[in-house]
Amino acid sequence: MSRTRVLTGITTTGTPHLGNYVGAIRPAIAASADPNVDAFFFLADYHALIKCDEPARIQSSRMQIAATWLAAGLDPERVHFYRQSDIPEIPELTWLLTCVTGKGMMNRAHAYKAATDANEAAGEDADAGVTMGLYSYPVLMAADILMFNAHKVPVGRDQVQHIEMARDIGARFNHLFGQGRSFFTLPEAVIEESVATLPGLDGRKMSKSYDNTIPLFEGGARALKEAVARVVTDSRLPGEPKDPECNALALIFDAFARADEAAAYRADLRAGLGWGEAKQRLVARIEHDVAPMRERYQAYMADPQRLEDILQAGAARARAIAAPLLAELREAVGLRRFADVATRAAGVKVEREALPQVKQYREADGQFYFKLLSAEGQLLLQSEGYPSPKEAGQALLRLRQCSGSELVEALAGRVSEAERERIAVAFGQLQAAEAERKARASAG
């Protein structure tokens, strides 16, 4: 059964808080463990530039968010975890998509409309302060999604329009350049109706825009305790019954507790548990889950090179998928090498840059083998022996047809992580060359 590709973008402009963990991070990581899901998680740092012009904030937020997701249990061996800015194919695809996107569609984008409406209400020019980044944001989002042909994209209701735009843009590109082929899968928005929304310090939805958040890791246990102490409660004294449905403490407790723990906490509130003790018990329950993750978070933050290595490995896996597709798209729109165009009719052989090589052979033991060499001749992969050339060829074909993530999984335990990434990139280059060859053949 084919795996469903699910893609999640994480904007890098803030520090994760408790509401982010309960509402987005925890359920997304749990969903990524599904063996039928091929999950893509990326740090949307190009998107962050649209609304933040503070380089230090962008840099620190990227590290904090990467460390948070990893500390919370995201397995970079199981999923594709990368920075948007490490995939150069994405901005190139953005331009290809921009050239088939109607301006009228962009005029109707919610973010742009909200900005122009606010300007007009203030008596200013409609486009005052509107950058092309804000205006074209949906096209970049479409490139994020279409680059990896995601089937499903979990989003809030405010982002559904952008998924619909990605579908429209992808469909138009397929129509204009596909010649009967669909380069892009049209994505489906997945609205998580059951996602928990935590109340903040003032009882409203926990949000940085309300300045009512409880920190997840930053500031340690002390910051967590101090934030919970500021949660607004009523004036009922210890011994007086409290309504668990009308205060933030019980709702936050529910998000971390087992059913029996939550029931006991609510019963104690009804029996007159004092607010001070209720807050202490809430802190203790959160700490039970968060403290081990915080320790891992601090270890990641203290070792930036480790974070960098993980993200670069994730980028290599993602590019093993992106590079072959982009090579096909460049051919499809006519961005072909002059030498190819000039010599197709004449049948002249065009010299190309060196590519990785695959060789099949028989050894003295009578077994059949294959090996993968880099463009420079370095041995990247040596197969086990097979009793027949057909079986060796079939095993090689299975590897060559794997996506980047599937290939990395197939080689797990056989070679090191760094070697797996080099092998994935080499097979990606071969796939890209094959796609380019087919595109030239069909055009000729």
Side-chain angles (χ1 to χ4, degrees):
M1 185 174 72
S2 61
R3 300 170 75 194
T4 300
R5 284 191 176 177
V6 180
L7 182 139
T8 300
I10 309 154
T11 305
T12 55
T13 53
T15 302
H17 55 71
L18 218 60
N20 297 142
Y21 172 69
V22 170
I25 298 172
R26 187 173 64 183
I29 292 174
S32 73
D34 185 337
N36 296 318
V37 169
D38 190 11
F40 290 71
F41 292 87
F42 68 96
L43 303 180
D45 44 4
Y46 280 146
H47 288 293
L49 299 177
I50 296 170
K51 48 189 169 182
C52 182
D53 57 4
E54 303 171 48
R57 181 181 170 191
I58 295 287
Q59 173 63 16
S60 63
S61 180
R62 293 197 312 167
M63 281 189 61
Q64 290 167 355
I65 291 173
T68 295
W69 281 79
L70 293 168
L74 188 69
D75 183 356
E77 291 289 324
R78 176 184 286 275
V79 307
H80 300 79
F81 186 47
Y82 56 94
R83 283 177 300 220
Q84 184 186 34
S85 59
D86 286 332
I87 314 296
E89 291 80 8
I90 288 176
E92 182 168 353
L93 175 57
T94 299
W95 183 249
L96 297 185
L97 298 180
T98 298
C99 293
V100 302
T101 300
K103 179 176 179 291
M105 181 189 293
M106 294 296 97
N107 290 343
R108 295 188 293 273
H110 292 329
Y112 174 63
K113 283 288 293 176
T116 57
D117 289 348
N119 283 336
E120 289 171 353
E124 298 185 18
D125 180 81
D127 287 322
V130 175
T131 67
M132 287 305 298
L134 172 65
Y135 185 74
S136 303
Y137 165 83
V139 186
L140 176 57
M141 185 169 173
D144 293 325
I145 298 165
L146 298 174
M147 185 84 263
F148 299 104
N149 279 314
H151 301 102
K152 297 180 182 293
V153 185
V155 291
R157 288 194 176 278
D158 61 329
Q159 292 289 318
V160 170
Q161 185 199 43
H162 291 150
I163 307 304
E164 293 172 349
M165 288 180 167
R167 290 175 60 87
D168 291 343
I169 294 168
R172 179 161 176 75
F173 191 98
N174 287 341
H175 173 71
L176 289 174
F177 301 110
Q179 295 184 339
R181 175 188 172 184
S182 292
F183 289 107
F184 299 123
T185 298
L186 305 187
E188 175 188 344
V190 178
I191 303 172
E192 300 287 352
E193 299 288 3
S194 61
V195 166
T197 299
L198 285 193
L201 304 182
D202 56 4
R204 294 182 293 176
K205 173 185 174 181
M206 190 178 296
S207 170
K208 290 185 285 288
S209 61
Y210 294 147
D211 193 25
N212 67 350
T213 62
I214 298 174
L216 179 57
F217 299 140
E218 287 297 306
R222 179 177 177 178
L224 172 64
K225 182 178 180 180
E226 290 175 348
V228 171
R230 298 199 306 274
V231 173
V232 173
T233 55
D234 59 35
S235 58
R236 297 180 195 184
L237 299 174
E240 292 186 85
K242 284 98 177 160
D243 184 356
E245 307 301 330
C246 297
N247 70 83
L249 299 180
L251 296 176
I252 298 172
F253 195 94
D254 287 349
F256 290 89
R258 301 188 311 268
D260 59 324
E261 293 174 323
Y265 188 74
R266 286 169 173 264
D268 289 344
L269 284 170
R270 293 189 185 97
L273 181 68
W275 290 126
E277 185 178 348
K279 290 179 177 181
Q280 291 174 14
R281 284 173 57 177
L282 174 58
V283 169
R285 187 60 192 80
I286 296 173
E287 272 292 292
H288 179 272
D289 289 3
V290 169
M293 294 188 289
R294 185 190 298 120
E295 185 176 345
R296 294 193 293 269
Y297 171 81
Q298 291 169 343
Y300 278 117
M301 291 299 289
D303 190 356
Q305 188 58 53
R306 183 183 178 194
L307 283 176
E308 185 68 28
D309 291 344
I310 290 171
L311 290 166
Q312 288 296 336
R317 293 173 64 191
R319 293 196 68 196
I321 298 169
L325 176 58
L326 190 65
E328 294 181 75
L329 300 178
R330 288 175 64 90
E331 284 281 333
V333 301
L335 300 180
R336 302 161 185 155
R337 299 180 183 182
F338 289 164
D340 293 354
V341 176
T343 58
R344 270 189 195 126
V348 178
K349 186 176 179 180
V350 180
E351 285 199 20
R352 303 188 179 281
E353 60 182 334
L355 289 170
Q357 299 180 58
V358 175
K359 297 186 177 181
Q360 294 180 254
Y361 55 95
R362 186 178 188 181
E363 281 284 13
D365 61 3
Q367 297 279 85
F368 293 85
Y369 297 81
F370 63 83
K371 61 184 176 181
L372 173 67
L373 303 175
S374 71
E376 296 75 32
Q378 176 189 5
L379 179 65
L380 298 177
L381 175 65
Q382 171 70 63
S383 78
E384 60 187 22
Y386 294 88
S388 72
K390 180 179 179 181
E391 291 176 84
Q394 289 173 337
L396 174 60
L397 181 61
R398 285 194 296 272
L399 284 180
R400 295 192 66 160
Q401 291 178 337
C402 283
S403 69
S405 59
E406 292 168 342
L407 183 63
V408 170
E409 289 174 11
L411 297 173
R414 293 173 54 184
V415 294
S416 71
E417 181 178 340
E419 290 170 325
R420 292 201 301 272
E421 305 307 338
R422 286 196 289 271
I423 292 167
V425 169
F427 273 122
Q429 290 173 324
L430 291 174
Q431 290 172 359
E434 178 64 13
E436 185 177 344
R437 183 193 67 75
K438 289 180 179 178
R440 288 197 308 273
S442 63

